[in-house]
Amino acid sequence: MIPELGQFALILALVLAGAQAFFGIFGAARNDLRWQAVVRPAVAGQFVLVSTAIGVMVHAFVTFDFSVLYVASNSNSALPTFYRVAALWGAHEGSLLLWAWILAAWTLAVAIASRNLPVSFASRVMGVLGFVSFGFLLFTVATSNPFERIFPVPADGRDLNPVLQDPALAIHPPMLYMGYVGFSVAFAFACAAMLEGKLDQVWARWTRPWTTMAWSFLSVGIALGSWWAYYELGWGGYWFWDPVENASFMPWLVGTALIHSLAATEKRGVFKSWTLLLAILAFSLSLLGTFLVRSGVLTSVHSFAADPTRGLFILGFLIIVIGGALALYAWRAPLLKSPAGFEGTAREAFLLYNNVFLVSAAAMVFVGTLAPLIADALKITPLSVGSPYFDKLFPMLMLPLGALVAIGIHAAWKRGQLGNHRRRILAGFGVAVVFGLTLVYAVYGRGKMLTPLGMVLGIWIIISSLFDPIDRLRRRLTLPRAVLGMTLAHIGLGVGIIAISTVESYSVERDAAIAPGETLALGRYAYRFDSIKPVEGPNYDGVRAEVTVLRDGEPVALLHPEQRNYWVQRSTLTEAGIASGWNMDLFVALSKEVGGGRWSVRAQLRPLIDWVWLSAAFMALGGVLAVSDRRYRVRAVAAEPAVAQGSAAEAT
Amino acid sequence: MTPRQQRMATVAGILVGVSAAAWLGFQAFKANVMLYYDPSDLAVKMPPPGERFRLGGMVEKGSVEKTSGTLDIQFLVTDFKHTVPVKYSGILPDLFREGQGVVAHGRMKSGTFVADEILAKHDEKYMPPQVAESLKKNPPPPNISAPYESGGT
């Protein structure tokens, strides 16, 4: 009985989403306040109903209600409680439910925060969000009912896919969805602005915190997924240019471009139509990501549905949303005029360069990710694009961008006045060259060609970002959180570039077959295979090795890689043994026995790899700090006073 | 320069930059596209010598030969019409099994496919779409158990 309540709640939520879309968009168009008054209650009601549905699902999981097909497929009586809750988004139907719920939550937040916005604008925003929600709920109810029953009721469930039984992965999808769905708010703001036919700097100020927040969540989500792949898939490495990774990376790249172009739109009123286009693009790529990952087009651990009707539905939805938004854009964007006039070295110009590189990178990833699918759809010969394509092109786009960041941070609005900061730029560069080259040639030794470049750029970006905040502190000026957040995020970028340059160049990796008692040499380190013992967990058994890592003959770490057999799905899983240090990860993965008492193992040294994920954390934290800045909490609808011309002190 | 000339110069610069980027991108793309072959394709036409490509099919039952105590392994990849011997040295994905689908990256060397990567996909129901396609073209004899249906839950 209870599961049917969940389904009923979803159907009611669908109706409310329809009402929200209709009365929001047409109420604003007719300027009918009574129609528009329906919107907020509909948002609240929808949130309550979708929450009910989620609650029902969690209840079914926690109480082992295997009469629900989804629970029976993704849970098991031996599954620990934490993963029984996380199993909610362990497969297709539940993921959609989570998507819908997060959208309802974002919309509720918009409904609460938009009470001081003009009524018609707020209604349009919520109307567009209602439309998106309607599409997703319809998809869920019509093709992917999570509450479907199974008869006869199985005695036990088929268990959650073992690779998903992991804390980082349990929170990876919610974070990712917070990002994806969060871009729907930016999208809705863009559509509302186009429907109003009016876009000013105040609009950009409203849109910025939402976009930055979504971007921060997406950063965390991607980093968690990458971290998980590193220690759980068992083969080391943090990024494989796998289609599902790319699917989440494209909206991130465009979202990064968007938050920068929004800054220019807010401060200087420029790039209006470009900003709109990016907002549409970021959400479209989020939808595309969902489509690619969930439709079964990409067959991998992420794709749950092989049902073509689902794929077609999402594709249709994608076409309506993107096509509709682009049509609206074609119709309305020409109305928007951006005051021209800034120099090639002004901050606006640097933000533009930033956008060119980020969008090119997104396009590059797009081509590499979708070419195999397109070749497949057109029945041309099956092909795949190897990771060297990405490995080669991505640095070519990111390294110039890094240099532009290091210089552009100093540029003032309207007129760059970089000449005033020549000393800062040169000093920063000089220090970076000295530090970077010392690090490369004296500490790590010669690596790949791009390594010194990346190292110098990363350090230069960090130094460049520090000038302005230090200057403010010295002159006893206030240090707004927006500036602090921006600084932190840029430091994160610098740290990321340094970390990636290092790990790409100085990782040491060896696969070998060794027996207990034997030692595997790896540079200054040696991995000693001490023993191997059987191990048993709540829903698996396996073997667990003990590996001592020696540095110059002295033991420095004890690792316990495992090879697990999960009972229910009868799948084998490699659990890597990792010792993380501030400057290096010692990694070992245990694979199968290869005869003669030997086991195949993969041993790795990964310098600075943890800083790759930490850099994402810096960026996300920077985003959150910036969003919490006072100026976004200003309630007044009053128009913005003119921005002081060419003031470098203005925060971005 | 007049502002107009300046604008034209900017536009020209952007055009040059974009074309250069597109050309480089295209080159990188062309160099890294890997084509997919199944054993029957190889019987008809070999890829140019030294070219890295993807080989897909089923690991023939009873064909896996391991050199005890090392990471060296040899097996046959079959689409039930033709077979190709494969050599690999390294760690196998957890789901590598006889009688199951496999995709390997590597090159042909005197009649043997020397793999440098065996694809690790972490779902035992998973079958690389091209393998499924190949097997649809060349259905396995009925006495061999159906590999596994593609798709997931």
Side-chain angles (χ1 to χ4, degrees):
Chain A
M1 179 56 209
I2 293 178
E4 277 68 33
L5 269 180
Q7 191 181 356
F8 189 58
L10 270 191
I11 294 170
L12 281 182
L14 173 73
V15 174
L16 278 187
Q20 180 190 326
F22 180 84
F23 289 109
I25 293 170
F26 292 102
R30 286 168 36 124
N31 214 356
D32 187 329
L33 283 176
R34 277 179 312 168
W35 278 28
Q36 294 178 69
V38 179
V39 176
R40 275 202 179 79
V43 170
Q46 200 195 139
F47 178 75
V48 170
L49 287 166
V50 182
S51 302
T52 309
I54 285 258
V56 167
M57 203 68 202
V58 170
H59 179 259
F61 266 108
V62 172
T63 58
F64 305 104
D65 187 352
F66 296 126
S67 72
V68 177
L69 176 62
Y70 187 74
V71 176
S73 310
N74 294 291
S75 181
N76 182 269
S77 51
L79 193 66
T81 313
F82 175 71
Y83 295 123
R84 289 212 302 282
V85 176
L88 172 70
W89 50 84
H92 172 80
E93 289 84 352
S95 301
L96 279 177
L97 196 56
L98 181 69
W99 219 101
W101 184 65
I102 289 176
L103 181 56
W106 273 110
T107 313
L108 187 70
V110 170
I112 292 169
S114 66
R115 272 173 305 191
N116 292 306
L117 300 190
V119 177
S120 66
F121 182 78
S123 303
R124 283 179 165 130
V125 169
M126 287 183 279
V128 173
L129 287 170
F131 182 76
V132 173
S133 177
F134 182 81
F136 260 84
L137 287 171
L138 183 65
F139 180 48
T140 312
V141 171
T143 73
S144 324
N145 177 13
F147 298 103
E148 200 174 312
R149 298 280 197 152
I150 178 171
F151 191 83
V153 177
D156 207 338
R158 274 160 46 198
D159 208 359
L160 178 65
N161 189 343
V163 296
L164 305 182
Q165 296 180 27
D166 176 84
L169 203 69
I171 46 174
H172 157 72
M175 287 292 152
L176 207 58
Y177 285 9
M178 286 295 283
Y180 279 177
V181 182
F183 282 140
S184 71
V185 179
F187 173 80
F189 271 81
C191 289
M194 290 190 286
L195 288 168
E196 299 251 304
K198 182 171 148 239
L199 189 157
D200 48 22
Q201 284 160 262
V202 182
W203 173 87
R205 162 166 299 191
W206 294 333
T207 315
R208 276 185 84 182
W210 297 99
T211 313
T212 309
M213 205 62 205
W215 174 85
S216 299
F217 275 116
L218 190 57
S219 309
V220 173
I222 294 174
L224 279 175
S226 153
W227 186 44
W228 166 81
Y230 168 66
Y231 67 77
E232 184 73 30
L233 290 184
W235 308 116
Y238 55 93
W239 198 258
F240 301 92
W241 297 110
D242 187 86
V244 291
E245 290 174 332
N246 296 348
S248 64
F249 196 42
M250 289 186 281
W252 187 86
L253 286 170
V254 172
T256 311
L258 175 61
I259 57 181
H260 287 90
S261 117
L262 268 172
T265 306
E266 188 204 341
K267 293 292 180 188
R268 301 285 310 152
V270 291
F271 310 150
K272 282 179 183 166
S273 40
W274 174 243
T275 300
L276 285 176
L277 195 60
L278 283 180
I280 297 171
L281 212 56
F283 183 57
S284 303
L285 287 170
S286 299
L287 279 182
L288 184 75
T290 312
F291 166 69
L292 286 179
V293 173
R294 293 294 179 229
S295 65
V297 170
L298 304 174
T299 321
S300 80
V301 64
H302 287 75
S303 56
F304 303 124
D307 181 351
T309 56
R310 290 176 178 172
L312 280 179
F313 189 104
I314 304 187
L315 195 61
F317 184 58
L318 211 65
I319 290 169
I320 292 174
V321 171
I322 301 175
L326 287 180
L328 191 61
Y329 177 78
W331 177 40
R332 290 296 201 166
L335 297 179
L336 304 171
K337 293 240 163 27
S338 296
F342 53 84
E343 288 178 359
T345 54
R347 181 167 283 205
E348 293 95 315
F350 277 99
L351 292 172
L352 185 65
Y353 307 145
N354 148 309
N355 274 230
V356 169
F357 281 96
L358 285 170
V359 172
S360 304
M364 182 278 281
V365 175
F366 187 87
V367 168
T369 310
L370 275 93
L373 297 180
I374 292 166
D376 197 45
L378 299 179
K379 303 278 175 218
I380 317 172
T381 171
L383 56 85
S384 74
V385 180
S387 57
Y389 162 78
F390 301 100
D391 288 339
K392 202 166 162 184
L393 288 182
F394 194 65
M396 270 209 285
L397 290 166
M398 285 302 113
L399 293 177
L401 177 62
L404 287 170
V405 171
I407 300 169
I409 284 176
H410 303 292
W413 292 110
K414 193 157 162 83
R415 272 183 256 287
Q417 296 168 330
L418 281 179
N420 297 351
H421 299 290
R422 192 184 295 142
R423 275 180 49 204
R424 287 182 176 188
I425 296 171
L426 290 177
F429 183 66
V431 174
V433 167
V434 172
F435 265 104
L437 296 187
T438 312
L439 211 57
V440 169
Y441 292 103
V443 179
Y444 282 112
R446 274 185 67 158
K448 289 181 182 163
M449 215 175 64
L450 289 179
T451 311
L453 209 59
M455 208 74 102
V456 169
L457 274 180
I459 297 173
W460 191 17
I461 292 172
I462 295 174
I463 296 173
S464 283
S465 343
L466 288 173
F467 274 113
D468 183 42
I470 290 176
D471 200 38
R472 280 168 190 260
L473 286 180
R474 278 223 321 251
R475 284 159 52 196
R476 299 185 189 286
L477 292 172
T478 53
L479 192 56
R481 288 189 187 177
V483 176
L484 213 55
M486 176 186 80
T487 305
L488 192 59
H490 283 151
I491 290 176
L493 173 69
V495 167
I497 295 178
I498 295 170
I500 289 171
S501 304
T502 311
V503 75
E504 282 299 312
S505 211
Y506 304 113
S507 290
V508 187
E509 177 179 317
R510 252 184 95 182
D511 292 355
I514 57 173
E518 290 183 338
T519 300
L520 185 66
L522 216 62
R524 284 177 73 182
Y525 291 80
Y527 284 63
R528 192 178 69 211
F529 188 6
D530 294 327
S531 62
I532 191 152
K533 287 195 192 82
V535 64
E536 190 165 313
N539 49 357
Y540 63 88
D541 58 29
V543 288
R544 178 179 158 101
E546 193 168 286
V547 176
T548 306
V549 184
L550 308 158
R551 186 179 180 215
D552 301 330
E554 294 294 313
V556 287
L558 193 61
L559 304 177
H560 291 107
E562 291 180 19
Q563 173 89 175
R564 293 177 179 175
N565 299 301
Y566 281 80
W567 296 328
V568 183
Q569 299 205 341
R570 273 187 276 156
S571 53
T572 316
L573 201 69
T574 307
E575 195 86 359
I578 301 170
S580 295
W582 71 269
N583 63 344
M584 171 103 78
D585 264 23
L586 308 166
F587 175 105
V588 65
L590 176 73
S591 187
K592 299 187 176 60
E593 193 178 3
V594 294
R598 289 166 182 271
W599 293 76
S600 54
V601 296
R602 168 167 294 182
Q604 293 178 339
L605 305 175
R606 293 268 184 199
L608 298 190
I609 189 165
D610 295 301
W611 294 91
V612 176
W613 304 300
L614 282 174
S615 76
F618 284 162
M619 292 186 202
L621 199 63
V624 173
L625 259 179
V627 170
S628 70
D629 194 287
R630 259 187 65 239
R631 63 211 196 88
Y632 294 125
R633 275 175 299 187
V634 174
R635 292 282 176 191
V637 186
E640 187 65 352
V643 178
Q645 283 191 354
S647 150
E650 272 299 337
T652 313
Chain B
M1 279 196 289
T2 66
R4 188 186 154 79
Q5 282 170 324
Q6 215 169 12
R7 266 205 304 279
M8 292 321 257
T10 316
V11 169
I14 291 173
L15 268 180
V16 169
V18 167
S19 343
W23 187 79
L24 285 172
F26 179 69
Q27 290 303 319
F29 184 78
K30 224 173 63 176
N32 290 298
V33 157
M34 274 191 296
L35 295 184
Y36 172 89
Y37 291 81
D38 58 32
S40 295
D41 294 336
L42 290 178
V44 178
K45 186 176 174 282
M46 278 283 169
E51 186 177 294
R52 193 158 174 265
F53 65 96
R54 287 150 65 94
L55 170 72
M58 310 296 288
V59 181
E60 189 163 295
K61 284 202 171 148
S63 76
V64 174
E65 277 175 50
K66 293 180 183 170
T67 314
S68 180
T70 71
L71 296 181
D72 298 338
I73 181 172
Q74 290 187 37
F75 55 92
L76 296 174
V77 167
T78 179
D79 57 5
F80 307 105
K81 288 249 169 77
H82 296 91
T83 60
V84 178
V86 176
K87 246 188 180 164
Y88 177 67
S89 181
I91 293 186
L92 290 165
D94 293 336
L95 293 164
F96 178 87
R97 248 161 250 172
E98 290 191 354
Q100 300 221 334
V102 68
V103 168
H105 296 180
R107 298 178 169 85
M108 286 308 281
K109 217 172 189 177
S110 48
T112 301
F113 184 78
V114 182
D116 50 45
E117 191 180 355
I118 304 270
L119 235 59
K121 289 292 178 182
H122 289 256
D123 177 355
E124 52 195 29
K125 293 193 200 98
Y126 170 74
M127 166 175 287
Q130 290 97 355
V131 174
E133 195 64 30
S134 293
L135 291 178
K136 231 188 280 165
K137 277 190 302 188
N138 311 305
N143 59 341
I144 289 173
S145 60
Y148 31 62
E149 66 275 25
S150 62
T153 21

